[in-house]
Amino acid sequence: LTSLISGSHHAAIGTESMNNATTANNNTAVSGYDGMYSLTTGSDNSGLGYAIMYSITTGGYNTALGSLALWSNSTGNYNTAIGYRSLRDAAGSGNVALGYFSGRYETGSDAFYVNNKDLTNSAGDKAGSLLYGTFNATPSLQTLTINGKVGIGTTNPYAPLTVRSTSAGAYAEGINLDINNSTTGSAI
């Protein structure tokens, strides 16, 4: 906080944490080194971990937990990154990532990841994360991709979606099955 001119309500722990903050407000950085190092006017950011939100300058309302989380984001808002290098390259706003390397290569906005592997690039992040989705103000335009098998009533699914019931009278209502990747599907 050596550059602080008029900002207030900060907590900076760690060598050179919030070193460039000038008029920022309400930020918390707990980092062994360089937490929110580039912060100038951004507000309401919270981070815990080595070099968290290193490049943040004017962005606000971001939360990062884990070393190098949200490292490249300088102006984005409303991001949540939990895990080592999660959303490391994120430049946009409204992203949520949970897990080691989750969303590591994301550069856009409104993305959702659950992952625990370095998947090499943005395409790998989207295709290989256990969960990948997109947020949208219109709920019907939001997406969620599950990259794995889903079991309901079973811990051993044998197909992309396995539903088992041991109760009599089990029924399905309002379900549309897309069989053989057709465009029409079959209603149950």
Side-chain angles (χ1 to χ4, degrees):
L1 291 172
T2 58
S3 301
L4 192 63
I5 296 169
S6 64
S8 62
H9 303 103
H10 297 291
I13 299 173
T15 303
E16 297 190 6
S17 289
M18 286 193 238
N19 193 55
N20 296 301
T22 55
T23 59
N25 290 295
N26 308 319
N27 293 288
T28 303
V30 179
S31 178
Y33 188 72
D34 283 349
M36 296 185 210
Y37 177 83
S38 302
L39 179 73
T40 55
T41 61
S43 294
D44 297 288
N45 296 294
S46 299
L48 172 65
Y50 169 77
I52 43 91
M53 289 189 255
Y54 175 88
S55 301
I56 195 83
T57 56
T58 61
Y61 310 97
N62 296 294
T63 302
L65 175 60
S67 294
L68 302 170
L70 275 172
W71 190 86
S72 294
N73 194 307
S74 62
T75 60
N77 300 300
Y78 314 109
N79 293 294
T80 302
I82 300 174
Y84 175 76
R85 290 194 182 200
S86 59
L87 293 175
R88 185 193 179 282
D89 291 343
S93 297
N95 296 298
V96 175
L98 174 63
Y100 170 84
F101 272 90
S102 58
R104 155 67 168 93
Y105 303 96
E106 178 62 52
T107 58
S109 295
D110 299 319
F112 170 73
Y113 294 91
V114 174
N115 178 40
N116 70 350
K117 307 258 185 285
D118 182 357
L119 297 170
T120 311
N121 56 42
S122 182
D125 268 352
K126 291 170 175 57
S129 291
L130 177 62
L131 299 175
Y132 167 71
T134 57
F135 297 105
N136 192 294
T138 304
S140 63
L141 297 178
Q142 296 185 130
T143 63
L144 179 63
T145 300
I146 301 170
N147 294 309
K149 295 177 182 176
V150 176
I152 299 174
T154 180
T155 58
N156 190 22
Y158 56 87
L161 174 61
T162 302
V163 180
R164 289 200 177 144
S165 175
T166 58
S167 63
Y171 64 94
E173 185 176 312
I175 296 176
N176 187 47
L177 296 178
D178 184 0
I179 300 172
N180 295 325
N181 206 21
S182 70
T183 58
T184 57
S186 302
I188 297 180

